[in-house]
Amino acid sequence: MIKIKNYIPHNELNEKLWNKNTKKLKPIIRKKLLDIAENFINDLGISIDYDDITLTGSLSNYNYTPYSDIDLHIVFDFDEVLDVDNDDLAKEFFNTKKNYWNHMHDIAIKNIEVEIYPQNTSEKHVSSGVYSVLRDEWINE
C-alpha cells in the first residue's frame, strides 16, 4: 500500500543526516561520506584530482521519502584523468566503474543506501539542493 504522506514535502531536512539548527551535515555523516568517496576513488585504479564531493538529490532537499538514497557525486575533469578525445568513451568508462562499484558495495548510512556518481566538471547538474561535502557548505540551497 502506497502512503501518500510519504511523498509530501517536509519542512525540515532529514534529521538523520542534517543538523537542524545549522542546516549542515552532521560531522559523523560528513566523515562517513568523505570516507566512502575516498574508497571509491582508491578503487578506480587510476589517479584523479577531484574538484568537489557533493550530496545532491532528495536528501539534500525537502522532498525526501523513506525510499530516498544518498546521491554522492565526485566531481572532476574526465579529460584530465583519461587523456582521450572521446567524451563518450570517458563517460562510459566512469559509468561502468560506478555501476560495478555500487553493485559490489552495499553501503548505507543510518539505513539509507549510498550511491556514488562520477560527475564531469563540464556536466551541467541541475538540482534544487546541492551540498559540498568536501567544503561543508551549500552550493545550491
Side-chain angles (χ1 to χ4, degrees), residues 33-52:
L33 291 173
L34 290 171
D35 289 346
I36 291 166
E38 285 295 326
N39 286 335
F40 174 77
I41 292 164
N42 291 335
D43 284 355
L44 277 176
I46 56 177
S47 177
I48 68 168
D49 291 322
Y50 53 87
D51 300 317
D52 208 348

Side-chain angles (χ1 to χ4, degrees), residues 30-81:
R30 179 174 177 261
K31 180 176 181 343
K32 287 180 181 181
L33 291 173
L34 290 171
D35 289 346
I36 291 166
E38 285 295 326
N39 286 335
F40 174 77
I41 292 164
N42 291 335
D43 284 355
L44 277 176
I46 56 177
S47 177
I48 68 168
D49 291 322
Y50 53 87
D51 300 317
D52 208 348
I53 298 169
T54 62
L55 189 155
T56 187
S58 62
L59 282 168
S60 63
N61 206 313
Y62 299 98
N63 60 348
Y64 58 91
T65 73
Y67 314 106
S68 294
D69 62 1
I70 295 171
D71 297 321
L72 189 62
H73 289 221
I74 301 167
V75 183
F76 58 98
D77 187 340
F78 288 13
D79 293 337
E80 283 184 16
V81 176

Side-chain angles (χ1 to χ4, degrees), residues 3 7 20 33 44 57 76 84 91 95 112 123 130 140:
K3 295 180 182 178
Y7 296 94
K20 184 178 179 175
L33 291 173
L44 277 176
F76 58 98
V84 296
K91 187 172 185 172
N95 277 336
I112 303 170
E123 180 184 332
V130 181
N140 186 21

Side-chain angles (χ1 to χ4, degrees), residues 17 23 32 37 42 49 52 93-94 111 113 124 136 139:
L17 306 178
K23 288 189 175 180
K32 287 180 181 181
N42 291 335
D49 291 322
D52 208 348
F93 173 79
F94 287 115
N111 293 321
E113 183 180 3
K124 179 118 172 115
D136 200 19
I139 296 169

